[in-house]
Amino acid sequence: SLSSQHHPRGAVKQFYIIMHTFLEEGLALARNLSARYSEAIRSGEAIAVYFGEVPAKMPFEQVLGSLVEFKGHFVRCVAENAEALVAEERRLKREEE
């Protein structure tokens, strides 16, 4: 235990100040994280409703998985459409020549 016999009063006070600050900052970070998590859950539920799902039957992880899958399909379709456009432009150019 901390005793004033072994530690000068100033050192104990400084330790208390540092620990108090550390604890306050940690609690603020925990509150912030909790608020962000709640916001993410609400957003996930809103997305589930948007896609016609029942949020209670579609866990947040499944919503995220669906979004990741959708993004993959979307990126692939954009790339395929770009390739098709380039091929069509080449074909039209050859027909003109």
Side-chain angles (χ1 to χ4, degrees):
S1 96
L2 293 176
S3 125
S4 59
Q5 293 176 349
H6 297 101
H7 302 285
R9 193 174 291 276
V12 172
K13 184 175 181 179
Q14 184 64 27
F15 176 78
Y16 171 79
I17 292 170
I18 291 170
M19 290 307 295
H20 182 72
T21 303
F22 175 77
L23 179 61
E24 289 297 318
E25 290 174 0
L27 290 172
L29 289 171
R31 283 189 298 272
N32 183 283
L33 181 61
S34 178
R36 288 176 146 199
Y37 179 76
S38 295
E39 182 181 337
I41 295 296
R42 283 192 302 275
S43 294
E45 290 172 351
I47 291 169
V49 169
Y50 179 80
F51 286 113
E53 300 291 337
V54 178
K57 294 183 180 180
M58 189 172 196
F60 183 68
E61 293 81 8
Q62 189 176 350
V63 171
L64 290 180
S66 296
L67 286 175
V68 169
E69 185 177 346
F70 173 80
K71 179 191 174 255
H73 290 303
F74 182 80
V75 169
R76 187 173 55 246
C77 287
V78 167
E80 289 172 1
N81 287 341
E83 290 173 11
L85 182 62
V86 168
E88 180 66 17
E89 289 172 349
R90 275 190 244 143
R91 185 186 65 78
L92 291 173
K93 188 175 182 180
R94 278 188 300 227
E95 287 179 1
E96 289 177 0
E97 295 174 352

